[in-house]
Amino acid sequence: MQVVLLGPPGVGKGTQGRRLAGDRGWALISTGEMLRDAISRATPLGMEAKKQMDHGLLVPDDVMIGLVRERTLEADALGGFVLDGFPRTVPQADALEAFLQERGRKLSVVVALTAPDEELVRRLSARWECPVCRRVYNAMSAPSKDGRHCDDHPETLLHQRDDDTVQTVKRRLEVYQKQTSPLVDHYRKRGLLKEVTGTGTLDDVHGALVAAVGG
Ligand code: AMP
């Protein structure tokens, strides 16, 4: 299956996408993670993308489309994938549809995760991440065992993403409203959309997501 997780920053696309993909043996394709990885390796793509990311703005469509087109052709994605963070604009959605069609494939379902803005700001500003495995913790609701290191990598200090500052979070939410939220209607019109509430426990959301994806 080819699944898209849509939703504002902080709604849980990464956490839920990782679990869904792991359960089903699908690839998790997180464009934010791919870009952060490119930044940490100081590649030309990473250096270019960082300028937009640090300001909460989107990386240009052609860059993102090329990246995802290649990634979805890798062996682990051929049996199915979950896209987290792509598409984020209508041109990205059109390109995704076109390149899947070229391969005789199509999207199976698009799940829109929802949560109120206050909850998103609260979550993002308390978000801490393991730089090794990218596991995400929440200082208030889901801290690591000692609050400073990753449970799975006890030597590794958790860090906050550069774009999880209050000002950048606000900009990212505005960018989501303006450039990405039109995709909800776009996919609803195509009969592909399922909506899942992203609040509640991780298990509740996972259960609702599994039900929405079916199969
Ligand atoms: P995320 O981890 O999904 O919140 O993404 C972090 C940042 O990476 C975003 O704020 C954008 O700057 C950039 N980014 C990730 N995915 C995309 C995309 N599909 N299109 C444009 N920019 C993206």
Side-chain angles (χ1 to χ4, degrees):
M1 288 182 86
Q2 286 78 233
V3 178
V4 166
L5 290 186
L6 203 60
V11 78
K13 299 186 298 295
T15 305
Q16 293 294 339
R18 184 180 298 277
R19 184 161 165 194
L20 177 69
D23 283 358
R24 301 284 179 98
W26 297 333
L28 173 69
I29 302 181
S30 160
T31 46
E33 241 175 60
M34 290 166 78
L35 295 172
R36 283 186 289 280
D37 182 56
I39 291 172
S40 69
R41 289 185 291 114
T43 66
L45 165 73
M47 294 301 89
E48 200 46 46
K50 187 168 165 42
K51 293 182 201 156
Q52 276 98 25
M53 290 172 77
D54 281 352
H55 292 100
L57 301 174
L58 296 186
V59 174
D61 284 338
D62 53 341
V63 174
M64 298 311 301
I65 290 166
L67 206 61
V68 175
R69 183 198 290 270
E70 292 290 302
R71 178 65 187 90
T72 50
L73 282 171
E74 283 176 31
D76 66 330
L78 298 180
F81 57 75
V82 177
L83 277 171
D84 152 26
F86 185 97
R88 258 178 157 98
T89 63
V90 173
Q92 290 181 15
D94 289 342
L96 174 65
E97 194 178 333
F99 69 66
L100 288 179
Q101 201 167 22
E102 279 166 21
R103 304 170 195 167
R105 310 183 98 186
K106 55 184 170 52
L107 285 181
S108 315
V109 61
V110 175
V111 181
L113 289 170
T114 59
D117 272 11
E118 313 82 73
E119 170 73 12
L120 299 171
V121 174
R122 208 173 56 80
R123 282 190 195 180
L124 289 167
S125 37
R127 179 157 84 173
W128 290 80
E129 190 178 76
C130 171
V132 175
C133 66
R134 305 283 180 207
R135 182 167 166 187
V136 174
Y137 297 88
N138 184 290
M140 288 184 298
S141 59
S144 71
K145 286 192 188 113
D146 73 358
R148 295 181 63 225
H149 298 86
C150 177
D151 293 347
D152 301 324
H153 299 92
E155 308 285 294
T156 306
L157 275 174
L158 301 176
H159 77 164
Q160 260 192 314
R161 279 172 44 172
D162 291 343
D163 60 351
D164 278 348
T165 61
V166 174
Q167 204 184 1
T168 311
V169 163
K170 284 200 178 134
R171 171 79 61 78
R172 286 161 65 206
L173 289 171
E174 283 163 17
V175 166
Y176 174 80
Q177 275 314 325
K178 198 162 168 223
Q179 293 182 267
T180 309
S181 69
L183 292 179
V184 172
D185 259 352
H186 175 94
Y187 285 123
R188 188 181 286 123
K189 282 189 192 126
R190 284 164 175 70
L192 283 170
L193 190 79
K194 297 269 170 79
E195 285 180 273
V196 165
T197 307
T199 48
T201 67
L202 290 179
D203 286 343
D204 289 344
V205 179
H206 177 68
L209 179 58
V210 166
V213 168

